[in-house]
């Protein structure tokens, strides 16, 4: 394994990524290079050195992820569905319905991801698809998932996604009707000001949409109750579905009040905005389509949260604070107690893929009883400070520990738990996976009992 | 969408499947054709017409699934890991550990599937992978999943899978240590005799294995407690891990007592056994490898459960039973009550992919109060009767309803809920998805209130 030496490093990566593109037939297209160029503009706009390790190949990775994540524009349903229509005798209509003539068929809990057309961030989709067969034919079950994938792998809105899947299946299978329910989860879109006011915003924004054709066209039809009856435990009731044409936009990038937008836009780097517009064009979309017009500015607004330097100034005052450290001699050390602050939320941006990761940080430290020298607010601020950067979780965890050590007496343990968008989107699609990282300083690095004590105090469920 | 007419049907399917093979670079290889030939031998051994609709393209589908599911033989870790090693400063060792020098990194809940080398059925793997960085470098998180995938996509045993992942990551990342925990779920391997004695065998056989290198090499090391401490809620304690070299084989195909095997083998079609051996050879494995020697016979034993005809004889006596039907006149109809039998387990084999699906059947019917004309045992037998075939779930559901209608007075509702191996393996990999199908006859087909009443009675959780 000598080739692991750093000399081969860059060449190998380029080869391996290019191989991926060749497999997708994307390598010869100038579009990939256009996206790479645009990503370089974004990185520079964030004040980053595009040649630093960790970022050097980010443009290629981002281009690959965008191209892979939007392959749905090239596929068509005819190719997918037609090869998997199977003749299946149904029962005589006078007797009932089942098989290839009536009788509901549902595939539940299909996990997919899509790209939000409003802000370009990936969102998760849990889809339930049903249809009522007609004409003595059924479709292979996996095709219901493949069709969802075609429309998910585009720039989307939840309602349109459900409608397009429904309509495509209706035309492809020619059933008595199709029903689609999609539970969509979008990462929260924090802005720094709101975070410092409210440290517990929820991690995901959820929306529930439905679409029906044929026998499902009427929302009040009893067949809808049967469909939902087979989705027990999922807490889906018709009153929870988003109203079609609801004025509220689900994407949190749109939630910022209108009066604020011009001000934010004023500070937006126009070169970055046009770089994002060129990415959208390279994906085969029209950046002037009504729903996409504001997207580049919104994406830039999101990503500027992770600018290289803007928080340093905010926290500098705090970080120069020197607490009195009781128990700096050996004797007093024994009177120190384990304190902890659990579940501090954070948002960050993976510097390898320019995709968000978010989760919680748990902090443990030994300090004299009753003494909390800096308070929860500063702990949370430091967590946000290191979150709002282009980051990797390992570094985030270490930086928080190193920053807190001089403030909290040197004995620090930090655990970060996060859900990474780059693990649920792209080719990897590991829904439900999460990452935990640990940093320890001082007593925690030698005392396994102290580590165990802190780990036991961690909450056993995490809804991040 | 006129091209959906049946004329284009076969051509389209072949094109679409071949396109899949071309993408994988598998199309020109004679190995795919060898697998197809072997599958035809298996289908004929099951007494099936290999030209019937539904089976015509099964050989190609099975070949494609096997080739896709075993691509791990062709990949190597060097290509995957080396491009994603990133320099990452760690803390000074005297102060603690974190970042690129110590500090545990864990990716949890990675869902994969693998093929059991003992019986060739796919099994599910939920993997948790951790490592302690060293040498000021970390690996991209997604690579931990990609490396699991390389070894999962082979004919495997859980312990060897964990060991191979652990060793490959150790050599690839050169960390202080690697820990791998794999929770594996194998479909139950019922045989007809045992099913008729015990109608509630569990759906999945579970095994928990672990593997550690470097600082994780000692099972008793405190770093293992920290690793498991970060896997809270998953009910993983060291005493639950399978002992290395345990004499008990996890695969249920091996659970049949030794005295039985020769008898079963005696009735096994040797042409089918050598067809399975040729599939193993086509996948690049050696059918004479110690762990694989018995695999073809075990696979044939499994698949012969789904032979076309063997249960008909068993049930014929029952099915000719004619119950007295109280309330055949209109008046008595109103005295009929809704009865139900919920959660009857079934096992079946998807005829499109020769992969198992299993789940539960719920049966509702209207009958005079207190009258249960045929009993739960016969209901369960009829369910098994239609399960143990090459099937599709839609047909299974209809056939159960049609068979029960004359026995139970004509008003029948059948709901089948199942987990399909073909939805978690192959390219589709929709872990956690499930399929529900409905058949209704008589009163249930016109009375939506009756359907609703029955659906409300269904259990809200299903552990199938």
């Amino acid at each position: 394994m000598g080739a692991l030496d750093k000399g081969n490093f860059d060449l190998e990566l380029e080869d391996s990524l290019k191989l991926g593109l060749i497999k997708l037939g994307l390598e010869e297209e100038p579009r990939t290079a256009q996206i790479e160029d645009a990503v370089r503009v974004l990185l520079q706009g964030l004040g980053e050195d595009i040649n630093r390790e960790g970022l050097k190949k980010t443009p290629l990775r981002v281009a690959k992820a965008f191209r892979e994540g939007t392959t749905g524009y090239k596929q068509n349903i005819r190719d997918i569905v037609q090869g998997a229509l199977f003749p299946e005798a149904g029962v005589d209509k006078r007797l009932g319905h089942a098989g290839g003539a009536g009788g509901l068929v549902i595939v539940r809990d299909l996990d997919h991801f899509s790209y939000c057309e409003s802000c370009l961030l990936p969102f998760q989709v849990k889809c339930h698809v049903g249809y009522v067969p007609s004409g003595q034919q059924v479709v292979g079950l996996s095709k219901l998932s493949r069709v969802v994938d075609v429309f998910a792998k585009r720039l989307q809105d939840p309602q349109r996604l459900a409608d397009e899947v429904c309509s495509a299946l209706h035309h492809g299978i020619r059933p008595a009707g199709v029903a689609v329910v999609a539970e969509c989860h979008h990462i929260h879109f924090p802005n720094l000001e709101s975070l410092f006011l409210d440290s517990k915003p929820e991690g995901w924004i959820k929306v529930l949409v439905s679409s029906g054709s044929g026998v499902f066209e009427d929302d009040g039809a009893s067949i809808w109750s049967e469909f939902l009856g087979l989705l027990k435990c999922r807490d889906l009731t018709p009153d929870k579905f988003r109203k079609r044409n609801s004025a509220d936009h689900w994407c949190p990038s749109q939630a910022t009040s209108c009066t604020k937008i011009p001000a934010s836009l004023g500070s937006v780097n126009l070169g970055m905005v046009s770089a994002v517009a060129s990415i959208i064009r390279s994906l085969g979309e029209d950046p002037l389509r009504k729903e996409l017009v504001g997207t580049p500015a919104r994406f830039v607004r999101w990503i500027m949260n992770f600018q290289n330097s803007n928080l340093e100034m905010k926290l500098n005052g705090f970080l120069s604070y020197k607490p009195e450290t009781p128990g700096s001699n050996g004797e007093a050390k024994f009177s120190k107690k384990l304190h902890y602050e659990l579940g501090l939320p954070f948002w960050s941006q993976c510097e390898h893929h320019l995709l968000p990761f978010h989760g919680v940080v748990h902090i443990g430290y030994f300090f004299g009883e009753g003494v909390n020298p800096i308070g929860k607010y500063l702990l949370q601020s430091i967590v946000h400070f290191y979150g709002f950067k282009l980051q990797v979780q390992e570094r985030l965890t270490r930086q928080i520990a190193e920053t807190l050590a001089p403030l909290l007496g040197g004995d620090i343990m930090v655990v970060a738990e996060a859900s990474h968008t780059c693990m649920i989107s792209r080719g990897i699609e590991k829904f439900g996976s999460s990452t935990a990282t640990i940093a320890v300083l001082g007593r925690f690095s030698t005392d396994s009992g102290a580590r165990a004590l802190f780990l036991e105090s961690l909450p056993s469920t995490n809804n991040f």
Side-chain angles (χ1 to χ4, degrees), chain A residues 283-302:
Chain A
L283 299 177
E285 269 280 12
D286 174 9
L288 298 179
R289 171 156 76 81
K290 190 178 55 149
E291 297 84 357
L292 292 171
V293 167
T295 302
R298 284 187 289 265
F299 184 78
V300 171
R301 195 143 46 93
W302 157 262

Side-chain angles (χ1 to χ4, degrees), chain A residues 17-18 20-21 24 26-27 29-40 42-43 55-71 74 115 278-280 282-283 351-355 426-427:
Chain A
L17 280 171
K18 280 195 180 145
L21 291 174
L24 288 164
L26 305 178
E27 86 292 352
E29 296 196 28
R31 292 172 173 195
T32 301
Q34 281 164 14
I35 300 176
E36 289 181 69
D37 288 342
V39 173
R40 281 186 206 102
L42 294 175
L43 292 174
L55 287 185
K56 267 203 289 198
K57 303 298 167 193
T58 295
L60 185 56
R61 277 187 220 103
V62 174
K64 192 176 165 237
F66 266 124
R67 299 300 305 276
E68 281 184 355
T70 55
T71 47
K74 295 188 183 173
Y115 278 97
S278 100
I279 292 175
I280 293 175
S282 301
L283 299 177
E351 70 180 29
H352 301 148
H353 303 96
L354 289 195
L355 285 169
R426 310 186 303 130

Side-chain angles (χ1 to χ4, degrees), chain A residues 76-199:
Chain A
N76 76 66
I77 305 310
R78 233 174 121 261
D79 296 346
I80 293 170
V81 172
Q82 280 180 38
L85 289 174
F86 298 97
E88 189 59 47
V91 294
D92 185 322
K93 275 189 184 172
R94 289 163 300 180
L95 300 175
H97 35 90
L104 190 51
V105 176
I106 303 184
V107 177
R108 307 176 289 201
D109 298 308
L110 295 167
D111 287 319
H112 291 267
F113 78 93
S114 187
Y115 278 97
C116 175
E117 66 182 8
S118 178
C119 68
L120 286 194
L121 295 182
F123 62 94
Q124 287 190 61
V125 185
K126 191 177 274 294
C127 217
H128 315 288
V129 181
Y131 75 103
V132 175
S134 174
Q136 312 258 323
Q137 65 177 11
V138 297
V139 69
L141 299 173
S142 66
K143 303 307 171 191
L144 301 177
S145 177
R146 297 219 193 259
V147 169
V148 174
D149 206 51
V150 167
F151 293 101
K153 292 223 165 106
R154 301 182 181 193
L155 305 188
Q156 273 293 9
D157 160 81
Q159 185 65 59
R160 197 174 66 241
L161 173 61
D163 289 345
E164 288 180 346
V165 169
C166 182
S167 163
L169 287 173
H170 195 87
H171 288 94
I173 312 175
R174 294 181 173 175
V178 174
V180 176
V181 166
E183 303 174 65
C184 299
H185 291 73
H186 193 304
I187 192 173
H188 193 83
F189 205 88
N191 65 59
L192 300 184
E193 294 75 27
S194 72
L195 274 179
F196 280 102
L197 294 172
D198 167 19
S199 66

Side-chain angles (χ1 to χ4, degrees), chain A residues 386-400:
Chain A
Y386 288 109
F388 281 105
K389 289 182 184 316
L390 299 193
Q391 266 290 15
V392 300
Q393 190 178 324
E394 296 89 334
R395 191 188 308 148
L396 168 83
T397 317
R398 171 179 62 80
Q399 288 174 332
I400 292 170

